[in-house]
Amino acid sequence: MGVRHGSKMLLPAHNYLTLRALVAPAVLLSLSMQGVFRGFKDTKTPLYATVIGDVANIILDPILIFACKLGVSGAAIAHVLSQYLISIILLVKLMHQVDLLPPSLKTLQFSRFLSNGFLLLFKVLATTGCVTLASSLATRLGATPMAAFQICLQVWLTSSLLSDGLAVAGQAIIATSFAEKNYEKATSTASRVLLMGCVVGVGLGIFIGLGLQFGSGVFTKDINVKHIITIGLPFVVGTQPINSIAFVFDGVNFGASDYTYSAYSMILVAIGSIGSLFALYRAAGFVGIWVALSIFMGLRAIAGIWRIGTGTGPWSFLWK
């Protein structure tokens, strides 16, 4: 990840990741169950469970980090406990709705699950690979630029994922519409969520621009870190509409079960983005990383627009 042996980031990062690794089973179980509830068109239960877990995380953070003097390790422990809480809530709720033990292994349709699952796995690897590489390159710039980069990155990802709510809603409705062969409903739903995504993206950009400009002190008191945050701010703000469109298109294409295109297009996007990351990092350092991340999200949005715009794959009915 680019952390040198003499760096003061090494020990806290190692401790944090070691503890965070304990949360992997809870996260995987939670994401799986959220997918099940989405299939039921129940988005309230995952929302309530996530809010309860996140509130617990927020309460535990200052207690473990400052009161117990655990520092970064306390943040990791708080996250682990909150994720297991979310998983327990979802599991209890799901057990009241369905029989989790299948009558036979054949009913699980493992072959169909694995074929789609591997495609989505490649997509996730391509997506997270770009962001992880960006973090690794930022680490090589030193502790202060890395601190600023992480603040910008977390705000960037958190605000962008708010658009994921639109993607989830669109995915559920579009999937039902395709199953019923109600293509008119699928088209109108896709159009509406994309329009709403644009509006949400612009609104988030304005909110984040004002918030980080005057409220960066919420994250840090370091003057140097604040200064570098202002350098990354235009990219965090300016890409919000693009990010929203990209996330919404993901949901729209998932609703159409267009997993193959989503996976392969993301791999191509990742290849281009990784190349731009290396080139722009060498040319412009911190700014170059953010330019490359902006290119990455722009290419994701273009890939989504291309599929529907050309009327190919499951969207071929648009040209009939």
Side-chain angles (χ1 to χ4, degrees), residues 158-172:
T158 301
S159 58
S160 298
L161 285 172
L162 291 175
S163 302
D164 200 36
L166 288 173
V168 169
Q171 178 182 345

Side-chain angles (χ1 to χ4, degrees), residues 73-155:
S73 297
I77 294 170
H79 181 76
V80 170
L81 294 175
S82 67
Q83 289 300 315
Y84 274 99
L85 177 60
I86 293 172
S87 294
I88 291 170
I89 294 172
L90 290 174
L91 183 61
V92 171
K93 287 286 187 181
L94 193 59
M95 289 174 64
H96 287 126
Q97 294 190 34
V98 295
D99 184 2
L100 297 180
L101 295 177
S104 67
L105 292 177
K106 291 182 179 180
T107 60
L108 293 177
Q109 301 182 30
F110 265 119
S111 59
R112 183 179 180 187
F113 168 77
L114 290 175
S115 63
N116 291 332
F118 274 117
L119 288 170
L120 291 176
L121 176 62
F122 289 131
K123 181 182 186 300
V124 171
L125 288 174
T127 304
T128 55
C130 290
V131 178
T132 302
L133 175 60
S135 299
S136 176
L137 294 175
T139 302
R140 288 166 167 79
L141 297 173
T144 300
M146 181 56 178
F149 176 80
Q150 273 300 313
I151 292 171
C152 290
L153 181 68
Q154 292 305 316
V155 172

Side-chain angles (χ1 to χ4, degrees), residues 115-116 119-120 123 171 253-264:
S115 63
N116 291 332
L119 288 170
L120 291 176
K123 181 182 186 300
Q171 178 182 345
N253 285 324
F254 285 166
S257 298
D258 200 4
Y259 303 117
T260 302
Y261 176 79
S262 296
Y264 289 133

Side-chain angles (χ1 to χ4, degrees), residues 183-236:
Y183 299 127
E184 183 178 349
K185 184 178 180 181
T187 304
S188 62
T189 301
S191 300
R192 180 165 296 185
V193 294
L194 286 169
L195 177 60
M196 293 174 67
C198 292
V199 173
V200 169
V202 173
L204 285 172
I206 295 172
F207 177 77
I208 292 169
L210 295 174
L212 269 184
Q213 185 69 37
F214 301 105
S216 58
V218 174
F219 299 98
T220 180
K221 302 300 181 184
D222 191 297
I223 296 176
N224 295 322
V225 175
K226 287 183 179 179
H227 172 68
I228 299 177
I229 287 174
T230 60
I231 297 174
L233 184 59
F235 300 100
V236 177

Side-chain angles (χ1 to χ4, degrees), residues 242 246 265 268-270 272-273 276 294-304:
I242 300 172
S265 64
L268 291 176
V269 166
S273 300
S276 66
S294 302
I295 293 172
F296 167 60
M297 293 306 298
L299 291 175
R300 284 186 66 177
I302 290 171

Side-chain angles (χ1 to χ4, degrees), residues 18 134 147 156 163 188 190 237 247 250 277 281 294 304:
T18 301
W156 188 64
S163 302
S188 62
V237 172
F247 276 101
D250 278 349
L277 269 167
Y281 163 74
S294 302

